[in-house]
């Protein structure tokens, strides 16, 4: 699954925000089920930032968010994200989307 968190950050806060965002990303990256992720700044609107992360499945992401380390090191920053849907199912050729089925607690 893919998670996209976008942030609107005043230019005078950009240096500190970048450091905080990179730190939050590192905390998330240390959790089981994390696949990869990136931090970005919009080319046309430098006050718009993004954190994208990929996870093995939605359960891994939800467990990461509930972990102590993430609560202490990332949730405060993630709360600054623009209020919009952020979790996406990856679309791959030939797969059905949003299949209602029992999920592995893996």
């Amino acid at each position: 699954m893919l998670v996209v968190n976008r942030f609107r950050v005043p230019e005078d806060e950009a240096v500190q925000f970048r450091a905080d965002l990179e730190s939050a990303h590192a905390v998330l990256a240390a959790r089981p089920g994390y696949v990869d992720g990136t931090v970005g700044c919009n080319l046309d609107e430098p006050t718009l930032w993004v954190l994208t992360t990929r996870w093995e499945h939605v359960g891994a992401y939800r467990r990461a968010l509930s972990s102590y380390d993430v609560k202490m090191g990332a949730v405060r920053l993630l709360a600054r994200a623009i209020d919009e849907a952020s979790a996406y199912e990856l679309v791959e050729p030939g797969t059905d989307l949003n299949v209602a089925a029992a999920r592995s607690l893996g």
Side-chain angles (χ1 to χ4, degrees):
M1 73 160 294
L2 173 68
V3 180
V4 179
N5 298 111
R6 298 184 321 133
F7 305 86
R8 203 61 68 202
V9 179
E11 287 185 39
D12 62 332
E13 296 178 22
V15 172
Q16 183 60 53
F17 181 80
R18 178 181 178 171
D20 293 344
L21 189 58
E22 289 172 346
S23 177
H25 179 222
V27 170
L28 288 165
R31 301 305 307 159
Y34 172 88
V35 176
D36 66 17
T38 57
V39 170
C41 183
N42 190 283
L43 293 171
D44 297 317
E45 292 185 54
T47 61
L48 189 59
W49 289 77
V50 67
L51 170 64
T52 61
T53 54
R54 282 192 323 133
W55 299 84
E56 290 177 0
H57 46 73
V58 69
Y61 175 63
R62 289 180 177 159
R63 280 191 294 280
L65 289 179
S66 66
S67 75
Y68 178 80
D69 291 340
V70 171
K71 285 180 182 178
M72 297 305 294
V75 168
R76 185 172 179 198
L77 181 118
L78 293 175
R80 291 186 60 178
I82 295 170
D83 187 16
E84 62 187 9
S86 62
Y88 294 86
E89 184 173 9
L90 295 176
V91 177
E92 297 173 354
T95 60
D96 295 324
L97 298 178
N98 290 320
V99 174
R103 296 187 178 119
S104 168
L105 298 177

